[in-house]
Amino acid sequence: MFDFRLKVFYTVARRLNFTKAAEELLISQPAVTKHIKELESGFNLALFDRKGNKVVLSPAGEVLLKHTEDIMDIYRQIEFDLNQFNQTLKGVLHIGSSTSITQYILPPLLARFHSMHQDVKVELLSGNSEQIEQALLNKNIELGVVEGKSKRREIHYTPFLKDEIVLVCSSKNHLIKKEEIRPEELKNIPLLLREPGSGTLEVIANALKEKGIRLADLKIEMQLGSTEAIKSYLQHSDCMAFLSLHAVLKELEGNELKIIEIKKMPIPRHFYFITPQGPEGGLPALLIQFLIRNHKL
């Protein structure tokens, strides 16, 4: 139903690479080139500018991309609404989630979702919260799940799951001799933190700010781009780290890591669904409802 040439154009416009677009679409690169030339011939306009080995959208291509995104949104909603007459649900749902959520929360839930809706193909993008929010605004995904809650007016935030950030260290840590510390003691402890743009880092910074502590006041040994990297590092050092409780349950049960309480400084937070502002519907709404119902099962 959806003009395949527009789908080819949309894929090239997102990738800015004919070879990668061909791989994603499962067609040959000459076929991609043919579809783009047909569109350019039909509009009598160049949709891409070739600059050496690079491809960029022309001004006409920028306009067509905006309309193509709108058309694809409408098509997805049409497909969803009409399939309900046959009591079938099918289509492709592009979602994105923060790294920790991708690793520790979503996989079993998505497996259960797939068993119930086998004609719905879910494609999952992983990144930090800032990257996932930007992917939503760029219309690379229709639904995101992020840590923390930013203040971007273009995005609607729906609470999903409660979480808690805890301070952890290796059970073999030689520096810590007590199970609870005062907030100001954090300034003298070597710490591992997530990278800038991480939702976890944003929540930690806000909690510390309430105690009059800035990130710049901390003794940061290193910033790492994933929770798994931080957990591995902790096993070989006397550092501590702030991590999601969901991310360390296995290590706590196996006595590999332990929690160090911070006096009068709990760090609760929510995971949030993010969608564009406006009415929710179609496959994104279906998945949101499923995840809310099933995350405690």
Side-chain angles (χ1 to χ4, degrees), residues 13 31 49-50 121 123 129 176 201 213 232 254 267 283 296:
D49 293 327
R50 283 79 173 174
K121 181 183 178 184
E123 296 186 358
S129 293
I176 192 69
L201 183 62
I213 301 171
S232 180
I267 312 179
L283 293 178
K296 294 180 180 179

Side-chain angles (χ1 to χ4, degrees), residues 77 136 142 153-158 274-281 284-285 288:
Q77 190 64 48
L136 183 77
E142 293 99 51
R153 293 181 180 178
E154 316 98 305
I155 294 176
H156 178 66
Y157 296 83
T158 304
I274 58 170
T275 51
Q277 291 286 5
E280 292 176 5
I288 287 174

Side-chain angles (χ1 to χ4, degrees), residues 189-213:
I189 295 172
L191 290 169
L192 302 175
L193 294 178
R194 285 289 303 274
E195 80 288 357
S198 160
T200 298
L201 183 62
E202 179 187 9
V203 173
I204 293 165
N206 289 335
L208 290 170
K209 185 178 180 181
E210 292 179 5
K211 297 295 181 181
I213 301 171

